[in-house]
């Protein structure tokens, strides 16, 4: 799947934080690739903390880790045309990967392919393409998140399952016009990334390219992994607290510390950051809840009056158009390491539209692995891309389970980083997988409809209508332009990209109809 190239947003970026390589191991690896090529001498990258195979020394409050390997100039492969990458090597165990570079305003004019070795069997996969256009999921240009100096350009993350070997090749576009005097091997030590000191610069590729290998870690002991079907029965309701204060028009940030006298955590010891993330949902469930249970239509209407009572007309209170609240796995439920994100929460004034995405991370995952994928996305977004938190407000797996994304409260207008130019007054929902050529499951489509019927209903929005949004800047609409957008739109409707994939985008008409039906329209 190929997206259309994002426009430059002029963000000042920090240098990529590439970790050094450890010395090669003494013994060769005996595994043979799918193409019959023996794996080379081990070349192991330094990790930030321990991994699945050596987690005994890792801190319990920091599950998972990231390995960063700078890409190196290669002797040009006559068959593939690759000029940058990594030769096959043994690495510490990881499950998700992506290629990262220094400047998010620079596009990758090329193709990224990877092979990985399964940790369980030692077998190498065939070459897989990595979706190269991903930065358009990020924060709006000129927003504080984009201007933090931490943001980087990157490919989409690719889920490969538990692996301990990797090979990468980057192929510039055939018509990129590489100068004839460029030496793709480089004349220096060969240790630098593309454009790095001592290496032959490949002018068509971004500077500072590196491969990030992510181990999503495991949920803390006692926490739900979110793999089981939601257990909420119709009529089951969470405890309701006092209505939360509403965000002022525009954006606001708050620390969201738990209220004095809040309940003790249901499972395990919670850090201050974990308490803050959980307390953001305190009007819906007790502190420490791993799941927000579903409600019936009547219970949801009663909850809406409690949450928004002072802002509803008598007619709205009599018959608010809102879908029954679906079951949602909380951040604690999928095992979020709350130390990775920024401490404060950023809100927009309301939610007028929902943008549907796919994660472009592949479809080779089981539903029981979905929490691991989300932990991987979260670490990739924060540690590799430099975002303040995971970009999406919600995620949906192929079994139809819904997960809380960016922290700040599922019933609140949390500002995400999902649709560049249209993150204000919207919510972002990502279906886990790649849906350019594969149809999304009916369960996933139904879950998106249920979620949007509830979330948009909190703000009185009709899923079958259009609304007016103001662009924050992008490659389709200039900053400040007012745009009529469908209340449930695909990412490609707000930005020139292939996301959420053609097969998922075609299902949005059905999502709108179902969501309206759930609202009683």
């Amino acid at each position: 799947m190929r997206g259309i190239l994002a426009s430059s947003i002029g963000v000042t970026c920090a240098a990529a934080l590439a970790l050094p390589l450890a010395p090669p191991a003494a013994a060769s690896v005996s595994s043979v690739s799918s193409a019959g090529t023996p794996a080379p001498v081990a070349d192991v990258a330094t990790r930030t903390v321990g991994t699945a195979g050596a987690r005994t020394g890792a801190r319990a409050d920091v599950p998972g880790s990231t390995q960063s390997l700078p890409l190196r100039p290669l002797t040009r492969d006559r068959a593939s045309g690759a000029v940058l990458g990594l030769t096959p090597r043994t690495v510490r165990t990881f499950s998700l990967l992506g290629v990262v570079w220094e400047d998010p305003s620079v596009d990758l004019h090329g193709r990224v392919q990877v092979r990985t070795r399964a940790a369980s069997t030692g077998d190498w996969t065939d070459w897989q393409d990595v979706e190269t256009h991903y930065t358009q999921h990020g924060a709006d240009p000129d927003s504080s998140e984009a201007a933090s100096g931490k943001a980087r350009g990157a490919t989409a993350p690719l889920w490969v399952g538990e692996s301990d070997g990797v090979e990468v090749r980057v192929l510039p576009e055939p018509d990129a016009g590489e100068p004839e005097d460029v030496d793709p091997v480089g004349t220096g030590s060969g240790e630098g990334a593309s454009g790095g000191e001592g290496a032959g610069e490949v002018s068509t590729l971004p500077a500072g390219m590196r491969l990030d290998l992510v181990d999503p870690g495991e949920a803390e002991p006692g926490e739900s992994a979110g793999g089981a079907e939601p257990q909420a029965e119709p009529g089951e309701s969470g405890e309701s607290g006092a209505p939360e204060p509403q965000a002022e028009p525009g954006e606001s940030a708050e620390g969201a510390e738990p209220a004095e006298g809040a309940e003790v955590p249901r499972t395990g010891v919670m850090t201050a950051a974990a308490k803050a993330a959980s307390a953001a949902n305190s009007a819906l469930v007790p502190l420490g809840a791993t799941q927000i249970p579903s409600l019936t239509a009547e219970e949801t209407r009663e909850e809406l009056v409690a949450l928004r009572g002072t802002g509803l007309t008598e007619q709205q209170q009599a018959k608010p158009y809102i879908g029954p609240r679906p079951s949602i796995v909380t951040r604690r439920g999928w095992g979020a390491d709350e130390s990775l994100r920024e401490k404060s929460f950023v809100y927009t004034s309301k939610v007028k539209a929902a943008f549907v995405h796919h994660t472009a991370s592949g479809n080779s995952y089981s539903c029981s692995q979905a929490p691991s994928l989300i932990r991987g996305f979260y670490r990739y977004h924060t540690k590799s891309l430099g975002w303040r938190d995971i970009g999406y407000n919600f995620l949906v797996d192929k079994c139809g389970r819904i997960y809380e994304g960016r922290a700040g409260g599922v019933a609140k207008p949390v500002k995400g980083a999902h649709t560049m130019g249209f993150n204000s007054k919207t919510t972002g929902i990502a279906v886990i997988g790649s849906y350019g050529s594969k149809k999304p499951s009916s369960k996933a489509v139904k879950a998106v409809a249920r979620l949007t019927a509830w979330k948009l209903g909190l703000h009185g929005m009709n899923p079958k209508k259009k609304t007016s949004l103001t662009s924050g800047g992008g490659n389709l609409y200039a900053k400040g332009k007012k745009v009529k957008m469908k209340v449930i739109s695909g990412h490609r409707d707000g930005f020139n990209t292939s996301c959420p994939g053609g097969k998922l985008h075609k299902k949005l008409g059905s999502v709108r109809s179902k969501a309206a039906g759930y609202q009683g329209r």
Side-chain angles (χ1 to χ4, degrees):
M1 181 189 72
R2 297 292 304 274
I4 307 300
L5 300 178
S7 60
S8 296
I9 60 175
V11 179
T12 302
C13 299
L17 303 177
L19 298 177
L21 291 174
S28 296
V29 179
S30 60
S31 301
V32 177
S33 75
S34 59
T37 304
V41 173
D43 192 0
V44 182
T46 303
R47 310 196 81 197
T48 54
V49 294
T51 67
R55 283 201 178 102
T56 55
R59 302 206 321 268
D61 60 337
V62 188
S65 62
T66 301
Q67 302 173 73
S68 291
L69 304 173
L71 299 187
R72 301 168 174 175
L74 301 174
T75 301
R76 182 183 295 277
D77 185 318
R78 295 295 180 184
S80 70
V83 297
L84 200 70
L86 291 173
T87 54
R89 65 198 57 218
T90 292
V91 293
R92 300 274 185 167
T93 307
F94 69 97
S95 296
L96 180 142
L97 60 81
V99 171
V100 181
W101 54 91
E102 295 174 4
D103 190 345
S105 69
V106 175
D107 298 319
L108 172 55
H109 296 272
R111 185 178 184 185
V112 175
Q113 295 182 314
V114 299
R115 294 193 313 142
T116 57
R117 186 178 61 202
S120 59
T121 65
D123 294 333
W124 285 82
T125 66
D126 294 331
W127 287 103
Q128 301 180 73
D129 284 305
V130 181
E131 168 57 53
T132 56
H133 302 303
Y134 192 68
T135 311
Q136 61 263 34
H137 289 256
D140 294 343
D142 301 327
S143 67
S144 58
E145 184 170 1
S148 67
K150 300 177 182 178
R152 305 179 191 95
T155 67
L158 179 67
W159 177 261
V160 295
E162 194 166 88
S163 306
D164 61 7
V166 67
E167 181 179 7
V168 183
R169 63 190 185 192
V170 181
L171 297 73
E173 290 181 348
D175 58 351
E178 180 186 335
E180 293 182 0
D181 59 351
V182 169
D183 175 10
V185 181
T187 56
S189 64
E191 293 298 316
S194 98
E197 184 177 352
E201 182 177 354
V202 180
S203 61
T204 59
L205 299 176
M209 293 183 70
R210 71 180 201 242
L211 175 69
D212 275 14
L213 305 174
V214 178
D215 168 21
E218 298 176 354
E220 292 182 16
E223 290 186 4
S224 165
E229 290 286 353
Q231 297 300 307
E233 295 293 332
E236 181 182 355
S237 62
E239 296 182 19
S240 295
E244 292 285 341
Q246 297 304 296
E248 294 297 323
E251 297 171 17
S252 65
E254 64 182 22
E257 289 297 327
E260 188 174 348
E263 292 187 28
V264 295
R266 287 162 125 183
T267 56
V269 177
M270 297 177 71
T271 64
K275 288 180 181 178
S278 184
N281 291 314
S282 62
L284 309 181
V285 287
L287 191 70
T290 58
Q291 181 173 295
I292 298 169
S294 61
L295 297 181
T296 64
E298 181 59 33
E299 289 168 336
T300 304
R301 287 192 289 270
E302 292 173 358
E303 180 182 73
L304 175 64
V305 172
L307 290 172
R308 305 282 190 266
T310 57
L312 294 175
T313 65
E314 290 185 9
Q315 182 179 5
Q316 288 174 321
Q317 290 188 34
K319 187 181 179 181
Y321 289 102
I322 183 171
R325 188 182 76 192
S327 174
I328 303 171
V329 177
T330 66
R331 290 172 64 91
R332 187 159 178 80
W334 54 259
D337 174 4
E338 300 295 351
S339 70
L340 298 180
R341 63 171 175 82
E342 296 288 336
K343 290 183 179 180
S344 63
F345 307 139
V346 176
Y347 297 99
T348 186
S349 57
K350 65 176 299 183
V351 175
K352 298 175 67 177
F355 281 98
V356 178
H357 304 258
H358 68 168
T359 58
S361 52
N363 301 307
S364 59
Y365 72 94
S366 65
C367 292
S368 63
Q369 291 177 313
S372 293
L373 269 77
I374 297 171
R375 290 195 300 274
F377 301 150
Y378 174 43
R379 176 171 283 276
Y380 188 64
H381 286 182
T382 55
K383 304 301 288 185
S384 298
L385 277 67
W387 298 353
R388 63 178 293 113
D389 195 348
I390 191 170
Y392 309 113
N393 296 101
F394 298 93
L395 298 99
V396 175
D397 69 23
K398 57 189 176 184
C399 288
R401 300 184 188 92
I402 301 169
Y403 302 82
E404 178 183 14
R406 182 163 287 208
V410 297
K412 299 179 183 180
V414 178
K415 186 176 182 182
H418 49 85
T419 306
M420 185 182 290
F422 292 100
N423 289 307
S424 291
K425 300 183 181 180
T426 68
T427 193
I429 302 167
V431 181
I432 301 173
S434 299
Y435 299 102
S437 58
K438 181 179 176 60
K439 291 182 180 179
S441 69
S442 58
K443 290 183 178 180
V445 172
K446 180 179 178 181
V448 174
R450 294 192 64 202
L451 176 58
T452 51
W454 173 73
K455 182 68 176 180
L456 294 170
L458 289 172
H459 298 270
M461 300 305 296
N462 185 338
K464 294 194 295 185
K465 298 292 186 179
K466 290 186 176 182
T467 189
S468 178
L469 298 173
T470 302
S471 172
N475 66 1
L476 272 183
Y477 303 103
K479 183 177 180 180
K481 183 176 178 60
K482 294 187 180 300
V483 182
K484 279 288 185 181
M485 199 79 69
K486 291 180 180 178
V487 169
I488 298 178
S489 290
H491 185 184
R492 63 174 61 180
D493 299 315
F495 198 97
N496 202 344
T497 174
S498 61
C499 182
K503 297 293 186 181
L504 178 54
H505 195 265
K506 288 180 180 178
K507 293 292 184 180
L508 295 188
S510 174
V511 169
R512 296 179 190 107
S513 298
K514 290 178 183 293
Y518 288 134
Q519 287 188 348
R521 296 183 187 272

